[in-house]
């Protein structure tokens, strides 16, 4: 039985350099048994390098990798209790669906009858009963996805690595597969480590998400923590949509900073971490935290109040937003369009009021 | 408009049609006619299968024929065994500039005529040649050794002269194999041999076949290499054809031999495609 502190994946100060470039820089984390863990970061942040080291396709320069309490550093990929779902799935086109799933079992010299039984069970489990004799090119995108997962899971790995496998799917199917993957993971209980640059995939599916940037983890937390309590400026800007300004702290009192932006705008925001007067900061406000109003008195009680002109309405159903421009701002501010009849006729050119509390705006010390 | 288009089509097709008719169809028709002409008296010929009967009556002919076919198959296999690791290395392990250079290095010997390349082998392998001298100077052999004029010398020469025709289609087909496919093969517990047998080779089948077909046909119809490296013992069937046409001036028998060679090569290629369940279109048309 797993002990209390057992985790399926533990990474200890893993580092990988390519010539002068540090792709993964002293990264440490643990993934609890049976959880869905995502590594979220922009392309080039080192997440693929990290995953390839866990899978065994790249050798780490230093650090160690433990799976189920055992170090796997130095093992060849075919001897690791880890399986990987590739970005383009890498199903073997010269084999049928059943042969694809049976491939790993054959390598383990499992008896023929048992292979057949396990392939059938696995296909039922991923919702493709009777597909064993189909060719790979007869499958739809979503079906291929399931075959790839079945091919890995039939080996009962301690850990399943997924390298942006939803990237190639169209939007509708991707939304569907997100839910399906999450359900599948909850059902079978295998630890999933999912890497993606798509924040929505990470937020929807994961128990915990690590935000990676320039070879380091910026923050590890639940999707809610990352969204509502970002620890760094990068996380605040990368996870979810945000309006951002660069500026300097003028005064600071009770955790609320008065900031003057580079364009000369005065803002009140909550200081995240210790900040002193004169410090360079980044300020972030979520589009849904901004109160959009037509009259001045509607926003009267709020700490930050501005007047602007609607530049463009970006209609997207419930996710519709408005770009509001002000001569004092470098870029227009994105505000979520309230779903009320008052704003239904909102058009470009309309004068509007914007307001938000200092508690809704977060400022972070800018990295020099 | 319509007739103009048709005229243009015929004009565009005409070089290909002329080439096909004059250089392929007509000579073959003539060869069939010649092969089926039996000599009854000097300068008098009648229709008959006598020339083919002659082939089967004389053991030297069909021995040479069988030996040439078998030897060509062996040479094709040997070429594949040498070319595959080379092609795999070029296609999968090399990148960018080094890859193009390696490819050019394979091509380079073919800028020199086959005759010159074969003479190169003679310089290396003859009794007073480079290899023999080296072995003698190193004290490995007591006297000079003749490496030429045996089957091994023919095989070396044939493999060498066919290598490029195997390497190119193999590199082309291995290039299209996604690296992640190989990684997935390892990731799911396969070792190097499993990945090679289950993934790399099945993927490369069209390339292997198209290379094999070309190499087999070139080897079967090769004249220079077996004659120069094998000498009088080469017993290559093209030599028999040459003898009939040039030495004996028996064009009828020579034509019969030519047709037999054509039938044999077509039959073996067809059987190879059947066995590997590939079609000529997918193998050559890639």
């Amino acid at each position: 039985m797993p002990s209390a502190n057992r985790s399926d994946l533990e990474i200890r100060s893993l580092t990988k350099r390519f010539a002068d470039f540090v792709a993964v820089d002293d990264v440490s984390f643990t993934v609890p048994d049976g959880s869905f863990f995502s590594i979220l970061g922009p392309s080039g942040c080192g997440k693929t390098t990290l995953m390839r080291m866990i899978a065994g396709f790249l050798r780490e320069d230093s650090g160690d990798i433990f799976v189920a309490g055992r170090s796997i550093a130095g093992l060849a990929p075919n001897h690791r209790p880890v399986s990987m779902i590739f970005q383009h799935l890498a199903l073997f086109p010269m084999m049928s669906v059943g042969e694809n799933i049976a491939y790993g079992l054959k390598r383990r010299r499992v008896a023929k009858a048992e292979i057949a039984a396990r392939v059938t069970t696995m296909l039922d489990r991923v919702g493709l009963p009777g597909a064993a004799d189909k060719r790979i090119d007869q499958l739809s995108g979503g079906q291929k996805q399931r075959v790839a997962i079945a091919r890995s899971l039939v080996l009962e790995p301690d850990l399943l690595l997924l390298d942006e496998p939803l990237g190639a799917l169209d939007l509708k199917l991707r939304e569907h597969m997100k839910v399906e993957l999450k359900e599948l993971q909850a059902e079978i209980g295998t630890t999933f480590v999912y890497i993606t640059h798509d924040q929505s995939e990470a937020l929807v599916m994961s128990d915990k998400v690590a935000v990676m940037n320039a070879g380091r983890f910026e923050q590890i937390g639940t999707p809610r923590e990352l969204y509502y309590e970002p620890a760094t400026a990068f996380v605040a800007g990368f996870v979810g949509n945000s309006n951002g300004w660069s500026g300097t702290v003028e005064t600071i009192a009770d955790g609320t900073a008065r900031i003057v932006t580079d364009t000369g705008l005065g803002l009140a925001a909550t200081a995240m971490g210790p900040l002193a007067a004169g410090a360079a900061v980044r300020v972030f406000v979520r589009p849904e935290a901004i109160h959009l109003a037509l009259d001045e008195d509607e926003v009267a009680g709020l700490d930050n109040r501005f007047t602007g002109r609607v530049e463009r309405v970006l209609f997207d159903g419930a996710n519709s937003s408005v770009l509001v421009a002000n001569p004092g701002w470098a870029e227009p501010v994105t505000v979520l369009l309230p779903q009320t009849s008052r704003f239904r006729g909102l058009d470009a050119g309309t004068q509007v009021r914007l307001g938000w509390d200092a508690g809704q705006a977060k400022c972070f010390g800018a990295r020099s | 408009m319509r007739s103009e288009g048709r005229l243009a089509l015929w004009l565009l097709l005409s070089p290909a049609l002329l080439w096909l008719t004059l250089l392929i169809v007509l000579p073959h028709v003539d060869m069939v006619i010649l092969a089926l002409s039996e000599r009854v008296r000097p300068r008098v010929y009648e229709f008959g299968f006598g020339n083919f009967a002659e082939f089967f009556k004389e053991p030297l002919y069909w021995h040479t024929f069988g030996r040439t076919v078998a030897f060509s198959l062996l040479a094709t296999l040997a070429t594949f065994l040498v070319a595959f690791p080379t092609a795999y290395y070029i296609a999968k392990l090399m990148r960018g500039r080094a890859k193009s250079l390696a490819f050019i290095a394979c091509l380079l010997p073919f800028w020199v005529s086959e005759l010159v390349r074969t003479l190169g082998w003679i310089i290396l392998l003859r009794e007073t040649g480079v290899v023999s001298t080296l072995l003698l100077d190193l004290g490995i052999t007591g006297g000079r050794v003749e490496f030429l004029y045996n089957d091994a010398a023919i095989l070396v020469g044939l493999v060498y002269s066919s290598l490029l025709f195997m390497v190119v289609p193999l590199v082309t087909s291995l290039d299209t194999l996604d690296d992640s496919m190989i990684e997935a093969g390892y990731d799911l517990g396969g070792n190097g041999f499993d990945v090679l047998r289950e993934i790399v080779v099945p993927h490369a089948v069209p390339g292997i076949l198209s290379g094999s077909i070309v190499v087999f046909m070139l080897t079967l119809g090769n004249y220079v290499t077996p004659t120069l490296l094998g000498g009088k013992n080469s017993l290559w069937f093209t030599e028999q054809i040459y003898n009939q046409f040039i030495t004996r001036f028996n064009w009828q028998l020579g034509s019969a031999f030519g047709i037999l060679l054509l039938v044999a090569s077509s039959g073996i290629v067809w059987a190879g495609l059947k066995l590997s369940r590939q079609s000529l279109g997918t193998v050559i048309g890639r």
Side-chain angles (χ1 to χ4, degrees):
Chain A
M1 281 308 286
S3 61
N5 59 359
R6 177 198 136 140
S7 68
D8 249 335
L9 175 66
E10 183 180 352
I11 303 286
R12 284 190 202 153
S13 35
L14 207 60
T15 301
K16 178 76 190 175
R17 282 183 202 85
F18 295 109
D20 292 338
F21 173 70
V22 185
V24 174
D25 188 4
D26 195 25
V27 167
S28 299
F29 62 98
T30 55
V31 178
D33 190 17
S35 66
F36 197 123
F37 187 89
S38 289
I39 298 169
L40 172 66
S43 54
C45 74
K47 56 188 194 298
T48 302
T49 307
L50 177 58
M51 172 158 284
R52 291 176 66 80
M53 281 193 283
I54 302 172
F57 296 123
L58 277 178
R59 283 302 280 275
E60 58 285 336
D61 290 331
S62 61
D64 210 341
I65 304 165
F66 294 87
V67 171
R70 200 164 62 93
S71 170
I72 59 164
L75 286 181
N78 47 342
H79 294 126
R80 295 191 178 201
V82 169
S83 195
M84 181 157 168
I85 307 287
F86 290 82
Q87 190 162 14
H88 300 290
L89 306 177
L91 293 173
F92 307 134
M94 55 292 232
M95 301 180 199
S96 70
V97 169
E99 286 168 341
N100 262 281
I101 300 173
Y103 174 87
L105 295 173
K106 272 190 200 154
R107 303 286 83 81
R108 289 188 182 172
R109 312 205 180 284
V110 176
K112 265 203 174 126
E114 199 194 329
I115 292 181
R118 281 171 73 176
V119 168
T120 312
T121 320
M122 203 62 227
L123 278 172
D124 286 347
R125 211 157 171 187
V126 296
L128 290 168
D133 294 327
K134 282 198 176 164
R135 286 198 321 272
I136 296 301
D137 56 20
Q138 287 174 309
L139 303 178
S140 69
Q143 288 171 329
K144 281 183 189 163
Q145 202 88 51
R146 291 182 218 171
V147 172
I149 290 166
R151 186 176 71 170
S152 285
L153 288 183
V154 77
L155 299 172
E156 293 165 356
D158 287 332
L159 181 68
L160 190 67
L161 302 168
L162 300 101
D163 182 9
E164 305 196 45
L166 303 187
L169 302 179
D170 60 68
L171 185 72
K172 203 98 189 184
L173 189 57
R174 195 156 66 218
E175 295 300 317
H176 175 76
M177 286 305 295
K178 270 189 221 168
V179 181
E180 202 172 292
L181 258 181
K182 175 71 194 157
E183 280 175 356
L184 190 71
Q185 192 273 332
E187 190 189 309
I188 55 178
T190 304
T191 310
F192 277 35
V193 173
Y194 188 98
I195 75 163
T196 182
H197 65 269
D198 183 318
Q199 42 146 321
S200 146
E201 284 177 17
L203 296 183
V204 169
M205 293 190 284
S206 318
D207 298 316
K208 282 229 169 140
V209 181
V211 179
M212 196 172 182
N213 182 35
R216 292 176 158 276
F217 278 5
E218 295 267 338
Q219 186 178 3
I220 303 176
T222 63
R224 275 163 210 249
E225 281 166 4
L226 294 179
Y227 194 84
Y228 294 115
E229 296 150 42
T232 67
F234 179 81
V235 177
F238 191 72
V239 178
N241 296 317
S242 273
N243 294 295
W245 294 270
S246 295
T248 319
V249 175
E250 204 158 61
T251 60
I252 185 154
D254 299 335
T256 301
R258 305 285 321 171
I259 295 144
V260 177
T261 68
D262 296 349
T263 51
L265 200 70
L267 288 175
T270 309
M272 309 296 284
L275 287 173
V281 288
R282 288 280 295 162
V283 184
F284 295 97
V285 182
R286 299 251 181 239
E288 69 268 25
I290 300 177
H291 193 85
L292 183 72
L294 297 173
D295 300 317
E296 176 65 47
D297 39 320
E298 280 181 75
V299 291
L302 299 169
D303 299 330
N304 298 287
R305 295 185 302 277
F306 299 99
T307 309
R309 196 175 53 77
V310 173
E311 194 176 83
R312 194 167 294 153
V313 178
L314 305 171
F315 185 78
D316 183 18
N319 288 320
S320 300
S321 52
V322 185
L323 295 180
V324 180
N326 176 305
W329 302 337
E331 279 174 40
V333 167
T334 309
V335 184
L336 198 73
L337 182 67
Q339 299 293 305
T340 55
S341 55
R342 288 190 64 199
F343 294 103
R344 191 155 288 173
L346 196 68
D347 263 327
T350 314
Q351 285 283 324
V352 289
R353 316 273 167 178
L354 302 180
W356 63 89
D357 261 326
Q360 304 277 22
K362 295 182 170 62
C363 76
F364 300 88
R367 259 181 226 153
S368 50
Chain B
M1 192 66 201
R2 224 185 125 81
S3 63
E4 262 175 43
R6 187 160 289 190
L7 181 69
L9 181 70
W10 281 112
L11 281 174
L12 284 170
L13 273 178
S14 58
L17 286 175
L18 279 174
W19 185 70
L20 276 171
T21 343
L22 293 178
L23 295 173
I24 297 179
V25 178
L26 278 183
H28 277 90
V29 168
D30 194 38
M31 250 175 67
V32 172
I33 294 169
L34 274 172
L36 293 173
S37 309
E38 240 181 281
R39 201 174 89 116
V40 278
R41 290 188 303 280
R43 296 181 184 223
V44 180
Y45 296 91
E46 272 174 13
F47 175 84
F49 292 91
N51 294 316
F52 294 95
E54 176 77 18
F55 169 80
F56 289 103
K57 256 187 281 174
E58 173 56 59
L60 176 70
Y61 295 155
W62 54 264
H63 273 160
T64 310
F65 183 77
R67 174 187 144 84
T68 306
V69 170
F71 209 101
S72 298
L73 287 172
L74 178 72
T76 308
L77 180 71
T79 309
F80 169 71
L81 292 178
V82 175
F84 194 83
T86 316
Y88 189 84
Y89 191 82
I90 293 174
K92 289 283 136 215
L93 303 173
M94 296 182 99
R95 295 274 175 273
R97 225 179 126 78
K99 188 172 178 165
S100 339
L101 281 175
F103 214 69
I104 289 172
C106 284
L107 188 75
L108 221 52
F110 289 78
W111 290 6
V112 175
S113 100
E114 193 185 357
L115 194 64
V116 176
R117 274 181 283 136
T118 310
L119 288 170
W121 278 107
I122 292 177
I123 292 169
L124 287 177
L125 298 179
R126 66 181 169 165
E127 205 174 346
T128 54
V130 177
V131 179
S132 174
T133 310
L134 199 69
L135 288 176
L136 185 68
D137 289 356
L138 290 173
I140 296 168
T141 51
R144 293 204 167 270
V145 183
E146 176 65 273
F147 289 101
L148 280 178
Y149 313 126
N150 56 48
D151 286 358
I154 303 180
L155 189 66
V156 166
L158 287 175
V159 168
Y160 176 67
S161 59
S162 326
L163 211 51
L164 178 76
F165 303 98
M166 189 66 97
V167 168
V168 170
L170 283 180
V171 168
T172 315
S173 76
L174 288 173
D175 253 341
T176 62
L177 177 64
D178 193 349
D179 287 348
S180 68
M181 214 79 90
I182 297 170
E183 288 179 349
Y186 283 108
D187 188 64
L188 295 163
N191 56 32
F193 179 70
D194 292 328
V195 172
L196 185 71
R197 195 191 55 189
E198 303 276 337
I199 296 153
V200 179
V201 170
H203 176 88
V205 161
I208 294 171
L209 276 178
S210 83
S212 299
I213 288 172
V214 172
V215 169
F216 175 72
M217 289 188 162
L218 282 175
T219 309
L220 197 66
N222 199 327
Y223 177 77
V224 172
T225 306
T227 313
L228 289 184
L229 298 182
K232 287 203 168 101
N233 305 321
S234 69
L235 291 178
W236 208 255
F237 198 65
T238 45
E239 235 181 305
Q240 298 288 350
I241 299 177
Y242 177 89
N243 282 340
Q244 294 307 328
F245 273 97
I246 308 296
T247 318
R248 305 268 190 88
F249 218 68
N250 188 350
W251 285 36
Q252 288 70 27
L253 192 58
S255 299
F257 285 2
I259 285 164
L260 284 166
L261 202 59
L262 181 68
V263 169
S265 68
S266 310
I268 287 167
V269 167
W270 177 82
L273 290 170
K274 277 285 154 220
L275 279 175
S276 55
R277 298 200 196 95
Q278 298 281 322
S279 77
L280 196 62
T282 58
V283 169
I284 303 292
R286 278 154 55 95

